[in-house]
Amino acid sequence: MSWTELHEGSATIGTTEYSIVNGSTTPASSTTKLTAQIWLDVNAMELGDEFAFRLYEKVRSSGTQRLVEELILTGPQTRNVAFPSVAVGNGWDFRIAKLAGTDRAIAWSVRQY
């Protein structure tokens, strides 16, 4: 199975949710239909840091975008993190926010299968 990289980048993340679809703190609602897997490089996290990684999606295209999955990481991280693959397309976004600690650079890759 082959894949392509749909979104990739990095940003210094603060307390306002950062949309990786928009590349800004403005929430997005992408209707690109795909099976995606999101990879995160969180090795910049240190003691006292806590970050939330959130996937949002609509059940129906006419519905409301809501939280689907959330991963909270705390403290130093020594490995990359991958969300399970998921089919999206009705209005999805992936957002990152700092819950505690210092703003940190987080890198990501959204891989389309």
Side-chain angles (χ1 to χ4, degrees):
M1 175 184 280
S2 65
W3 58 272
T4 57
E5 196 163 51
L6 183 65
H7 296 284
E8 63 89 25
S10 67
T12 299
I13 306 299
T15 55
T16 302
E17 276 190 325
Y18 186 93
S19 164
I20 67 170
V21 171
N22 265 354
S24 72
T25 54
T26 302
S29 186
S30 176
T31 56
T32 301
K33 293 180 178 8
L34 66 140
T35 299
Q37 187 173 39
I38 301 160
W39 287 76
L40 302 161
D41 183 346
V42 292
N43 71 346
M45 290 179 61
E46 295 186 12
L47 194 62
D49 291 344
E50 185 173 56
F51 284 80
F53 303 89
R54 300 173 176 140
L55 174 65
Y56 295 85
E57 170 66 308
K58 296 178 182 180
V59 171
R60 299 180 310 162
S61 58
S62 62
T64 301
Q65 188 183 65
R66 300 185 198 284
L67 183 65
V68 176
E69 289 288 335
E70 179 178 52
L71 172 66
I72 306 287
L73 294 178
T74 303
Q77 303 295 312
T78 59
R79 60 185 176 90
N80 291 333
V81 175
F83 265 66
S85 296
V86 62
V88 293
N90 285 337
W92 65 277
D93 194 10
F94 188 80
R95 302 179 200 153
I96 307 169
K98 176 185 74 173
L99 303 177
T102 302
D103 294 2
R104 301 285 180 201
I106 306 287
W108 62 83
S109 170
V110 179
R111 299 172 185 183
Q112 177 178 357
Y113 294 89

